[in-house]
Amino acid sequence: MDWLDLLAVQGTLKTEARALGPPWTPLLTGPLECLGAEGRLAHKLFRDLFANYTSALRPVADTDQALNVTLEVTLSQIIDMDERNQVLTLYLWIRQEWTDAYLRWDPDTYGGLDAIRIPSSLVWRPDIVLYNKADAQAPASASTNVVLRHDGAVRWDAPAITRSSCRVDVSAFPFDAQGCGLTFGSWTHGGHQLDVGPLGGAASLADFVENVEWRVLGMPARRRVLTYGCCSELYPDVTFTLLLRRRAAAYVCNLLLPCVLTSLLAPLAFHLPVDSGEKVSLSVTVLLALTVFQLILAESMPPAERKYYMATMTMVTFSTALTILIMNLHYCGPSARPVPAWARALLLGRLARGLCVRERGEPCGQSRPPESSPSPQPPDRGTGPPAGPCREPRCLCRQEALLRHVATITNTFHSHRAAQRRHEDWKRLARVMDRFFLGIFFSMALVMSLLVLVQAL
């Protein structure tokens, strides 16, 4: 129990004893008089120390002497990291230590009492504030006690919830690492009046409560001496840099993995038959799904370049455009021009054999041999019964009419067959292009997905 609490209890019991009457007064006040010796010494010490003390002035014997303040920070909890507004909220334990030249005593004079705890508002306190504060409210001092020792050493421990600005870079999301600095320094005292320095090389993480989203790598401290535009004096400060790495497992499962699986569906549009009528619909659906993922990220993250999502959306856009081009080749009608010779030799020849694009019943690796058009054979003039008004078996008028009809039928058949062959060539060229782009885009999607997933391991 603190000596101030003991004095308060003593006063309360004395009041109750007086209210109960004379029989109870000696019984209640007698033991307190024996136990209150240390309290009376502490009370006397308090009156002696603060008889002529003021908390308005810097407690140094020489005004030209700088007062050294040691700052120690203990990280307790990461309350929130607002990436969009770039604000970090922390729960800290801040310890400040300095020496007050006017609060010293001899412990032997006061019964060996070498330390007392008094309200912090009674002593002088350094005006150390958080420079990169991101809160609109005025800083409020914690109403905690200070520990005052006989040699004038003052230790002030106070909890604080800080909201500081932090430059967040989410270009590598969700495998990003952040470094957020918290700069503490005096607001009005220059370096020749108040010198602030860290206690140790880093903040303490002994009482840190683990965060589900961020992994703390460390919190090193660094002392700096800077000059600001408002003043010519040098101002020392202490910057604690909180090093964070995002725990990417939840984001991989909830955002990245669905995007990877969706991007792998985009090349399958080339494998879908053209006659199904769903090639373009599949590509557009994949593109819309990726757009939804991009909007979800844009709502919670600050504007940044997301390379994987942009590369995936670009790939899906190109695959949709190529799908439309291939469908146009597939639906070339009988009136279309023949396949160019270079395309027939390169695409329908070598590329078709390499990709095993073949007709039904044709073995893989062999191209279809060109078909020669059958030439019409004239009918045998030495045979055939006589017909018509001509009684001669070899009448020239009859044979010329028959040849004209046969030639017409043959030309019509060959024209129809040639148009059908041109249509089949274009359809086969479309299948070759489908197979080629299927391998290209599937390889691209697989490589990009593997590169992203390897970063998570």
Side-chain angles (χ1 to χ4, degrees):
M1 180 179 294
D2 195 90
W3 67 273
L4 290 177
D5 298 335
L6 183 62
L7 291 177
V9 172
Q10 180 180 1
T12 303
L13 293 179
K14 285 183 178 181
T15 303
E16 294 179 355
R18 294 190 187 96
L20 291 175
W24 295 94
T25 303
L27 181 61
L28 292 175
T29 57
L32 290 176
E33 295 297 332
C34 297
L35 296 176
E38 183 178 354
R40 288 196 304 271
L41 292 175
H43 187 69
K44 182 178 182 301
L45 174 62
F46 178 79
R47 287 183 301 176
D48 294 342
L49 289 177
F50 290 92
N52 297 317
Y53 182 83
T54 176
S55 61
L57 299 178
R58 195 165 50 94
V60 291
D62 186 1
T63 56
D64 295 332
Q65 179 184 1
L67 181 63
N68 296 323
V69 178
T70 303
L71 186 64
E72 182 182 6
V73 170
T74 300
L75 177 61
S76 178
Q77 185 180 3
I78 299 176
I79 299 178
D80 182 45
M81 167 66 93
D82 189 353
E83 291 94 343
R84 185 169 185 82
N85 296 319
Q86 302 193 19
V87 175
L88 174 64
T89 305
L90 300 176
Y91 179 50
L92 304 175
W93 298 346
I94 302 177
R95 170 176 292 184
Q96 302 178 46
E97 296 180 354
W98 66 94
T99 300
D100 196 316
Y102 302 111
L103 297 178
R104 296 177 178 176
W105 72 91
D106 185 6
D108 297 333
T109 306
Y110 297 93
L113 188 62
D114 61 347
I116 58 175
R117 290 169 174 80
I118 58 177
S120 59
S121 58
L122 300 178
V123 301
W124 177 90
R125 293 175 296 180
D127 58 341
I128 294 179
V129 297
L130 180 63
Y131 282 176
N132 56 334
K133 184 172 177 290
D135 197 352
Q137 299 179 357
S141 301
S143 59
T144 56
N145 293 340
V146 297
V147 179
L148 179 61
R149 297 185 59 83
H150 67 279
D151 57 354
V154 183
R155 188 185 70 193
W156 182 26
D157 295 332
I161 296 179
T162 62
R163 287 173 52 86
S164 59
S165 59
C166 176
R167 186 182 298 274
V168 181
D169 181 14
V170 293
S171 58
F173 175 85
F175 309 105
D176 54 329
Q178 308 296 337
C180 299
L182 286 84
T183 302
F184 295 91
S186 175
W187 192 252
T188 58
H189 295 91
H192 67 284
Q193 294 179 332
L194 192 148
D195 190 8
V196 58
L199 181 62
S204 176
L205 302 177
D207 300 312
F208 176 67
V209 179
E210 291 293 333
N211 190 269
V212 297
E213 185 177 359
W214 296 96
R215 181 183 295 108
V216 177
L217 304 180
M219 197 172 181
R222 183 182 59 167
R223 180 181 180 272
R224 303 181 304 173
V225 179
L226 302 176
T227 302
Y228 298 94
C230 64
C231 313
S232 60
E233 303 177 14
L234 297 177
Y235 284 85
D237 60 51
V238 177
T239 300
F240 294 89
T241 304
L242 181 59
L243 303 178
L244 301 173
R245 181 174 296 278
R246 192 187 301 271
R247 300 180 188 270
Y251 293 96
V252 169
C253 295
N254 297 330
L255 287 178
L256 193 57
L257 191 58
C259 181
V260 169
L261 297 178
T262 304
S263 64
L264 292 178
L265 290 177
L268 295 180
F270 294 107
H271 191 65
L272 199 64
V274 178
D275 296 332
S276 64
E278 298 294 334
K279 291 175 71 70
V280 178
S281 300
L282 178 60
S283 300
V284 172
T285 303
V286 172
L287 187 60
L288 290 177
L290 293 175
T291 305
V292 171
F293 284 120
Q294 185 76 5
L295 291 176
I296 292 176
L297 288 179
E299 291 178 356
S300 57
M301 296 294 169
E305 181 183 0
R306 301 176 180 90
K307 298 179 181 179
Y308 175 74
Y309 287 92
M310 295 305 299
T312 304
M313 293 184 66
T314 303
M315 183 190 68
V316 175
T317 303
F318 274 107
S319 67
T320 305
L322 290 174
T323 300
I324 297 174
L325 176 62
I326 291 173
M327 291 182 65
N328 190 21
L329 295 178
H330 178 84
Y331 286 110
C332 285
S335 59
R337 298 174 56 186
V339 177
W342 65 267
R344 182 182 298 276
L346 181 62
L347 301 180
L348 296 181
R350 298 179 182 179
L351 190 59
R353 287 195 301 269
L355 299 176
C356 291
V357 179
R358 58 188 185 275
E359 299 289 346
R360 182 176 300 178
E362 180 183 349
C364 180
Q366 296 182 4
S367 60
R368 182 183 60 191
E371 297 182 0
S372 57
S373 301
S375 58
Q377 298 292 333
D380 189 4
R381 296 175 179 263
T383 60
C390 186
R391 298 182 180 272
E392 295 294 330
R394 296 185 179 182
C395 181
L396 295 178
C397 61
R398 175 181 175 277
Q399 293 182 4
E400 291 178 358
L402 182 60
L403 287 176
R404 284 196 303 270
H405 290 301
V406 171
T408 302
I409 296 174
T410 303
N411 292 334
T412 304
F413 173 78
H414 286 304
S415 299
H416 178 73
R417 183 60 179 171
Q420 188 177 11
R421 291 304 303 170
R422 289 196 300 269
H423 183 56
E424 293 294 331
D425 288 342
W426 285 113
K427 292 175 64 175
R428 189 162 180 258
L429 180 61
R431 289 198 302 271
V432 173
M433 300 300 294
D434 265 335
R435 187 72 60 86
F436 175 73
F437 288 118
L438 172 64
I440 294 295
F441 280 89
F442 191 81
S443 300
M444 292 175 56
L446 187 61
V447 169
M448 289 191 303
S449 302
L450 289 178
L451 290 177
V452 172
L453 294 178
V454 164
Q455 298 181 11
L457 302 178

